[in-house]
Amino acid sequence: MAAKRKRGALPAGKAKRARSAASAGEAAPEGGPRERSVAPQENGIPAQEYSIPPPVSQGKWKNKERVLIFSSRGINFRTRHLMQDLRTLMPHSKADTKMDRKDQLFVINEVCEMKNCNKCIFFEAKKKQDLYMWFSNTPQGPSAKFLVQNVHTLAELKMTGNCLRGSRPLLSFDPIFDQEPHYALLKELFIQIFSTPQYHPKSQPFVDHVFTFTVTDERIWFRNYQIIEEDASLVEIGPRFVLNLIKIFQGSFGGPTLYENPHYQSPNMHRRLVRLSVAAKFREKQQVKEVQMTKKKGTKVLVEEDPTEVVFETPAEEKPVEIQLVKPESKPIVKDKKKLRKIQRKKQKKLFRTEG
């Protein structure tokens, strides 16, 4: 007969497994992972050893920077790809649905609070051709507004480099970022937004690419390069774009203006100047045509005679004037040539007879 067991007790085999697991847990240090455990012997099968690898990073995730990356409605495909590339390169970023154009910009602060984000990159599209990018520290500020130009994404064939997804980047800044106060403020804002926090759960503990921020022609040029291990050379990965600074605000998406770029020219003004230059060229061509037409229609001005031209002229000999007293004979008008020849022969014969 089968032996009866008490209520709540385990079978014999399972009790052995539980004891072995308890003994293994006592041997392991508190709070640390078990690196090796031995499976119990079942039905004469020898025990198997298996190991659990330790975690990649033993540190603690302290910097809880989170960046919200989203856009307004009306962006084109290139802007959408650029936004997706930034989300791929920044593992500490979050996404959200597109914001309606009618909503005010300060609503973004509430969206960041709901998403538990303290930094924001917002793409604002206007007239389906102009792209503006906001960098903001929510909700206190400051924030900066840029005009984005010359956008190239990761998917383009010119970018030949590659890097590990989720790896932490190095940030390289131009020396001018430490000389001007407004550039120093932007440098600190870029560091807090683009640098991946250490020991982030979605990041990899490798450094294999560089974000460079260079100031040229009063604009900030963003580039992403891969670090090749063999010779430490750089190969561009992408994306790449140019930021033309417009204003720096004290608050988040508004507030008092801290700095305004005097070299900034709006896209509307640029297009207006282009149209005016084309119209000026057209008017100039029309004026040239009118001048040519007036020259053709006007009377030609005669050149005055040169008095020295008469010096080398030799007067021709005057021929004596002959006066004919006899009326010349009229020639008969004959259409037929044969008849004309016959008449001439008859005249010659008459003259020959009279002379004879």
Side-chain angles (χ1 to χ4, degrees), residues 16-281:
K16 289 180 181 179
R17 291 178 201 168
R19 288 171 193 166
S20 63
S23 62
E26 291 173 0
E30 293 183 1
R34 292 177 295 170
E35 296 187 358
R36 177 177 296 178
S37 62
V38 181
Q41 195 172 11
E42 294 183 2
N43 299 329
I45 300 174
Q48 296 179 357
E49 295 184 1
Y50 61 91
S51 61
I52 301 173
V56 177
S57 61
Q58 300 292 340
K60 190 177 180 181
W61 178 33
K62 296 180 181 179
N63 183 12
K64 300 298 180 72
E65 294 282 350
R66 297 182 183 90
V67 183
L68 180 64
I69 302 176
F70 72 118
S71 67
S72 65
R73 296 194 180 276
I75 61 173
N76 54 11
F77 72 98
R78 190 177 290 274
T79 306
R80 186 173 65 253
H81 290 176
L82 174 63
M83 183 172 59
Q84 191 61 37
D85 293 344
L86 290 179
R87 289 174 183 170
T88 305
L89 293 172
M90 300 165 64
H92 61 292
S93 64
K94 288 188 176 182
D96 194 23
T97 57
K98 295 179 181 178
M99 195 178 75
D100 198 354
R101 295 180 185 176
K102 298 179 182 178
D103 295 339
Q104 299 295 328
L105 290 177
F106 61 83
V107 180
I108 302 175
N109 296 326
E110 300 177 3
V111 178
C112 292
E113 186 178 356
M114 288 188 293
K115 288 285 185 178
N116 196 17
C117 296
N118 51 4
K119 298 291 185 296
C120 181
I121 298 177
F122 178 66
F123 294 88
E124 185 180 6
K126 290 185 178 180
K127 295 187 176 182
K128 296 184 179 180
Q129 55 183 343
D130 301 331
L131 176 63
Y132 298 91
M133 188 185 294
W134 287 82
F135 293 92
S136 177
N137 179 24
T138 57
Q140 292 86 11
S143 59
K145 185 180 181 182
F146 297 89
L147 174 68
V148 186
Q149 300 170 331
N150 303 333
V151 177
H152 297 276
T153 59
L154 275 170
E156 296 188 10
L157 297 177
K158 295 179 182 178
M159 312 300 180
T160 57
N162 193 7
C163 69
L164 182 65
R165 180 168 182 169
S167 60
R168 302 180 65 216
L170 293 174
L171 300 184
S172 174
F173 290 92
D174 196 273
I176 198 172
F177 277 93
D178 298 326
Q179 300 172 4
E180 301 290 338
H182 59 281
Y183 282 132
L185 177 62
L186 292 177
K187 177 182 178 180
E188 184 63 30
L189 191 62
F190 290 154
I191 288 174
Q192 296 182 13
I193 290 177
F194 286 98
S195 60
T196 304
Q198 194 175 11
Y199 306 121
H200 192 276
K202 294 183 180 179
S203 66
Q204 299 291 339
F206 303 102
V207 178
D208 58 354
H209 61 113
V210 185
F211 290 160
T212 62
F213 298 88
T214 309
V215 178
T216 306
D217 194 19
E218 303 297 336
R219 291 169 174 82
I220 300 174
W221 299 64
F222 175 86
R223 295 290 184 270
N224 182 20
Y225 295 98
Q226 176 197 359
I227 303 174
I228 299 177
E229 297 180 0
E230 289 78 8
D231 53 354
S233 60
L234 299 178
V235 179
E236 189 170 359
I237 303 173
R240 59 156 69 171
F241 51 87
V242 179
L243 298 174
N244 190 0
L245 178 62
I246 302 174
K247 285 184 180 181
I248 300 176
F249 300 96
Q250 184 176 355
S252 178
F253 297 98
T257 303
L258 298 179
Y259 176 78
E260 185 174 0
N261 187 9
H263 306 284
Y264 171 71
Q265 187 181 58
S266 65
N268 294 331
M269 181 62 67
H270 177 71
R271 287 190 287 267
R272 180 173 177 271
L273 293 177
V274 170
R275 288 196 299 268
L276 289 176
S277 64
V278 173
K281 289 181 181 179

Side-chain angles (χ1 to χ4, degrees), residues 5-11:
R5 60 186 177 88
K6 295 180 181 180
R7 184 180 295 177
L10 296 172

Side-chain angles (χ1 to χ4, degrees), residues 332-340 343:
I333 300 171
V334 182
K335 294 181 179 180
D336 194 357
K337 292 183 179 181
K338 292 182 179 180
K339 289 183 179 180
L340 180 61
I343 292 169

